[in-house]
Amino acid sequence: MGDSAEKTAKPKFFEGLKAEFKKVSWPDRQSTFKQSVAVVAISVVLGVIIAVLDYIFLNGVNILTTI
């Protein structure tokens, strides 16, 4: 019973989807590259900071537990 309504809803959905994709302003290649480099650099820096803090806390706890 709901098949005919469902069949007409699907094409309208895809037409709306196509219209919305045309409205998107996609970044250019250079901007995408710069943002990707920034994300990787920040991730590496944060990874190093977390590793250093982990090492400090690990040694601190070891010193406290051996007292």
Side-chain angles (χ1 to χ4, degrees):
M1 287 174 49
D3 290 338
S4 63
E6 194 173 300
K7 287 180 182 177
T8 58
K10 284 183 182 179
K12 288 182 182 179
F13 171 77
F14 287 114
E15 288 173 9
L17 186 67
K18 186 177 178 182
E20 289 300 319
F21 265 108
K22 287 182 180 179
K23 294 179 186 177
V24 174
S25 96
W26 299 100
D28 60 346
R29 184 178 299 260
Q30 185 179 10
S31 175
T32 303
F33 179 75
K34 285 181 180 180
Q35 291 174 359
S36 298
V37 169
V39 167
V40 170
I42 290 170
S43 298
V44 168
V45 169
L46 285 176
V48 169
I49 290 171
I50 291 170
V52 168
L53 288 174
D54 182 49
Y55 180 76
I56 291 169
F57 289 139
L58 177 67
N59 287 332
V61 170
N62 284 338
I63 290 170
L64 290 175
T65 57
T66 57
I67 294 178

